[in-house]
Amino acid sequence: MLDGSILGGQSIQHASAGWDRQFDQYIVELQFDDNATRIWTDFTDANIGARTAFTLDTQVLSAPQIQEAIPYGRTQITADFTEDSARELADALNRGISPSPVSFVSSADEILPATTFSTVLRVAVIALGLGVATIVTGAVVYLARRRST
């Protein structure tokens, strides 16, 4: 479960796609503005060991554990990026498409992937629809029998 947003897309000064040689994967690097840099530094310092989620339009992109305080307003989003998807996300963040890319998640919480959540929601809506259809059908049958007697 995601707690409140810490920083919004408007706090990002610049985003760029890159390659992390240490972990052999594509990343998106963020540079926050001065105010967000202070918030991010204080937040990461106070929440070492906790998880933070980077979200785009409510979809969790990455939810790493905070290993140490992150000063200077620079951070990385790691996910299962391709070169194109990392570049597209960086471009979207530079255009300000995301109102809240960074949200806090406590270390005890688990994050439900967006695809799982949408599947659960779809199943719930279908089950609700079937329930309503059953009630309506039962009511129609009851009224039809009542009229015929």
Side-chain angles (χ1 to χ4, degrees):
M1 181 170 141
L2 296 178
D3 288 341
S5 177
I6 299 163
L7 298 171
Q10 72 281 5
S11 299
I12 297 172
Q13 236 177 15
H14 181 72
S16 61
W19 179 257
D20 186 322
R21 292 180 188 178
Q22 180 181 359
F23 295 105
D24 200 33
Q25 66 183 7
Y26 288 99
I27 58 170
V28 175
E29 296 179 296
L30 302 177
Q31 175 64 52
F32 295 119
D33 63 27
D34 291 341
N35 186 48
T37 294
R38 285 187 296 280
I39 293 169
W40 185 240
T41 301
D42 292 345
F43 175 78
T44 56
D45 185 46
N47 290 285
I48 294 172
R51 295 169 63 97
T52 189
F54 294 87
T55 62
L56 179 64
D57 299 329
T58 70
Q59 180 178 355
V60 176
L61 300 174
S62 176
Q65 183 177 29
I66 299 170
Q67 301 294 319
E68 60 188 354
I70 304 173
Y72 312 117
R74 295 189 63 81
T75 197
Q76 296 177 347
I77 299 175
T78 57
D80 190 21
F81 291 124
T82 64
E83 182 179 9
D84 288 339
S85 65
R87 187 175 44 248
E88 287 171 8
L89 176 58
D91 290 346
L93 293 171
N94 283 324
R95 288 191 311 269
I97 198 170
S98 176
S100 56
V102 183
S103 298
F104 172 69
V105 180
S106 73
S107 60
D109 291 337
E110 289 197 22
I111 296 174
L112 197 61
T115 55
T116 304
F117 179 75
S118 64
T119 301
V120 169
L121 185 59
R122 186 176 301 124
V123 168
V125 168
I126 290 170
L128 180 64
L130 289 173
V132 169
T134 302
I135 291 171
V136 169
T137 302
V140 168
V141 168
Y142 173 77
L143 292 174
R145 285 189 177 176
R146 191 167 180 187
R147 279 193 178 161
S148 65
T149 55

